[in-house]
Amino acid sequence: VQLQASGGGLVQPGGSLTLSCAASGSIFSINVMGWYRQAPGKQRELVASITNGGTTDYAESVKGRFTISRDGAKNTRYLQMANLRPEDTAVYYCYAEVVVRSTSGSVYRYWGQGTLVTVSS
């Protein structure tokens, strides 16, 4: 299973960016996908997640500004980030909890490559 992350970059405060994460490989089903982020000198924190059933969860700091969505047919998830703040600057990592084919229902967590989001004027 591979996760291909894209998006990110430099944006001014108040601006918007969209991250995407596409899962591929021997996927039977995806239980949860989402993003963590890690800022310099800080611990990795969960930003947002979405379950196979569409239930979403957000960090308090991003509620009302970030929206996670999915394109189930393509096993792709999107993180729309609006009203970005300098404190949102971090490396964002997508992840997926996947039921892999031919593993009798075993669930594995996979990570995409990190993508840097920099919010600065």
Side-chain angles (χ1 to χ4, degrees):
V1 175
Q2 300 84 36
L3 300 185
Q4 181 64 48
S6 61
L10 174 64
V11 64
Q12 293 186 340
S16 301
L17 279 176
T18 297
L19 306 182
S20 64
C21 183
S24 62
S26 298
I27 298 170
F28 178 77
S29 65
I30 299 174
N31 290 352
V32 184
M33 280 184 74
W35 278 265
Y36 280 77
R37 68 184 179 186
Q38 187 165 23
K42 294 189 176 181
Q43 289 188 332
R44 189 176 292 193
E45 64 170 345
L46 178 65
V47 178
S49 65
I50 185 167
T51 69
N52 191 37
T55 300
T56 58
D57 188 28
Y58 296 93
E60 284 296 325
S61 59
V62 307
K63 282 183 179 178
R65 301 188 297 121
F66 291 12
T67 303
I68 189 169
S69 61
R70 58 183 181 166
D71 182 339
K74 297 182 179 180
N75 283 337
T76 300
R77 307 296 184 262
Y78 304 95
L79 184 67
Q80 297 172 284
M81 305 183 292
N83 192 20
L84 284 160
R85 304 167 180 169
E87 53 264 38
D88 294 317
T89 296
V91 178
Y92 285 70
Y93 298 90
C94 69
Y95 77 99
E97 294 180 357
V98 176
V99 177
V100 179
R101 289 185 184 144
S102 303
T103 61
S104 302
S106 297
V107 180
Y108 298 89
R109 176 174 283 202
Y110 295 89
W111 293 92
Q113 78 277 17
T115 182
L116 178 62
V117 172
T118 303
V119 184
S120 175
S121 55

